[in-house]
Amino acid sequence: MQVITAVQALKQYIRVLKERRSTIGLVPTMGALHEGHLSLVRQAKKENDAVVVSIFVNPLQFGKNEDFSRYPRTFDNDCNILSQEGVNIVFNPGASEMYPDGFCTAVIPESLEDKLCGKSRPGHFRGVAVVVLKLFNLIQPDVAYFGQKDFQQTVVIRRIVSDLNAGVTIKVLPTIRDQNGLALSSRNAYLSETERNDALCLYQALIRAQSLVKTGIVNTEEMVREMEKIISQSKSATIDYISVVNPETLESVQKAQSGDVVALAVRIGKTRLIDNVILTIYEQPILSDT
Ligand code: AMP
């Protein structure tokens, strides 16, 4: 496994892979790897000749008062894990390698960036958009792998790829959870034991939403009220948002349909967690008269 920090060196390795006509799978990450990341790496490994994993805590996607400086960094351990998974290249640039002096270009996912997480994280999705597009340009992957866990991010990335003809296939894989349903996240490391227990309310609320629609309750105001009740039982929880949205436009819907997404962000103590589910609603069987 090659660990590369410089853009020039990365370009050379990519050139060799392209000359050999190897297909390339890319898994962009911020490191502090867990089974959620590894599910993407394993899928990439299955489907491509070579796998590149980027580990870069991207300063552009963090707000001023967010956790950039204390975000968990476990680089040596991450590399050990990735080498066991058979990854070919780990790209771990410094911030000045990605954003040298004079860098000033923005990528703005206009109608998507101020919805859901964008409301409390202004500028976040511009930061995501620019780093992902840079990685696509540098690595020229055939397929790039992302987690459903960061639902809005997947919508933004699909949009950019389509709008700017990025020529990459985007695959989104399901959210990996612990045995209690808590979505794995590098930020779970911030939680105390009590908070970790409180954090289960996110998934419990999502499950409740899913079961409501299955019993025919599709009014999203009612769904959100029921979810709020569940979350308010956790002492350390403060709701940032709960929303039922169209999976492409991210516009809120009043009546939920199959394929709509229930997304939420909740602060557990000081830690902001996100999660979501894609709703499935069983159609009523049509009764025949015979
Ligand atoms: P991050 O390092 O948090 O930026 O995540 C890197 C990639 O891993 C993103 O595409 C995330 O959506 C994905 N990811 C993070 N957590 C999970 C999870 N629990 N299940 C599946 N994918 C995940």
Side-chain angles (χ1 to χ4, degrees):
M1 186 176 83
Q2 298 292 331
V3 177
I4 300 176
T5 55
V7 160
Q8 275 315 323
L10 177 68
K11 281 185 171 170
Q12 276 168 24
Y13 275 96
I14 298 298
R15 198 174 308 130
V16 172
L17 290 174
K18 292 283 171 191
E19 275 164 15
R20 290 186 196 151
R21 300 196 179 280
S22 301
T23 56
I24 302 175
L26 168 66
V27 182
T29 82
M30 298 203 298
L33 301 182
H34 51 65
E35 285 294 319
H37 298 111
L38 296 186
S39 70
L40 308 182
V41 170
R42 287 174 191 146
Q43 191 71 20
K45 185 78 195 152
K46 260 193 229 160
E47 296 178 349
N48 300 274
D49 300 323
V51 175
V52 181
V53 175
S54 60
I55 298 183
F56 178 56
V57 185
N58 174 28
L60 286 194
Q61 69 189 66
F62 285 79
K64 262 193 189 149
N65 298 317
E66 292 184 354
D67 57 345
F68 175 72
S69 56
R70 66 185 196 111
Y71 193 84
R73 288 163 171 89
T74 58
F75 186 67
D76 291 345
N77 188 47
D78 291 349
C79 284
N80 285 337
I81 296 170
L82 293 175
S83 130
Q84 281 168 33
E85 295 290 336
V87 164
N88 303 81
I89 296 176
V90 172
F91 179 49
N92 176 230
S96 60
E97 191 67 15
M98 289 296 266
Y99 307 120
D101 283 349
F103 185 94
C104 65
T105 301
V107 182
I108 305 170
E110 285 208 325
S111 66
L112 299 173
E113 70 166 350
D114 55 353
K115 309 237 162 49
L116 304 176
C117 287
K119 282 191 186 134
S120 57
R121 303 192 74 188
H124 171 70
F125 289 104
R126 296 181 184 203
V128 169
V130 86
V131 79
V132 169
L133 203 55
K134 259 180 95 82
L135 291 170
F136 287 175
N137 286 335
L138 284 168
I139 295 159
Q140 300 164 52
D142 296 271
V143 189
Y145 297 83
F146 296 89
Q148 172 69 31
K149 155 85 174 19
D150 296 272
F151 163 67
Q152 187 170 7
Q153 173 170 283
T154 67
V155 176
V156 165
I157 289 164
R158 281 191 200 281
R159 192 73 246 171
I160 291 166
V161 166
S162 160
D163 287 354
L164 303 181
N165 306 97
V168 185
T169 299
I170 301 299
K171 290 206 176 170
V172 176
L173 301 188
T175 302
I176 305 296
R177 304 176 178 282
D178 74 6
Q179 71 271 26
N180 298 316
L182 177 65
L184 299 189
S185 161
S186 306
R187 289 191 169 96
N188 291 351
Y190 299 148
L191 301 172
S192 69
E193 212 174 304
T194 324
E195 287 176 336
R196 207 179 160 94
N197 200 47
D198 281 358
L200 301 181
C201 69
L202 277 83
Y203 189 53
Q204 283 159 0
L206 291 169
I207 294 285
R208 178 83 180 123
Q210 174 65 84
S211 67
L212 283 174
V213 294
K214 282 194 172 159
T215 59
I217 296 171
V218 292
N219 177 314
T220 56
E221 263 180 41
E222 191 172 346
M223 289 166 66
V224 170
R225 265 201 308 277
E226 288 297 311
M227 292 172 76
E228 284 170 350
K229 271 189 215 159
I230 291 174
I231 293 170
S232 66
Q233 284 163 21
S234 287
K235 265 197 187 150
S236 59
T238 324
I239 296 169
D240 180 351
Y241 69 81
I242 303 176
S243 209
V244 187
V245 298
N246 173 286
E248 278 171 28
T249 62
L250 302 181
E251 297 286 351
S252 296
V253 297
Q254 289 187 332
K255 211 175 142 209
Q257 294 180 7
S258 264
D260 287 343
V261 171
V262 188
L264 47 70
V266 176
R267 268 174 216 285
I268 302 292
K270 288 185 177 151
T271 306
R272 185 174 177 281
L273 299 177
I274 56 172
D275 203 346
N276 65 85
V277 292
I278 305 171
L279 292 173
T280 51
I281 304 178
Y282 296 131
E283 303 294 334
Q284 290 290 335
I286 300 165
L287 298 173
S288 72
D289 333 313
T290 51

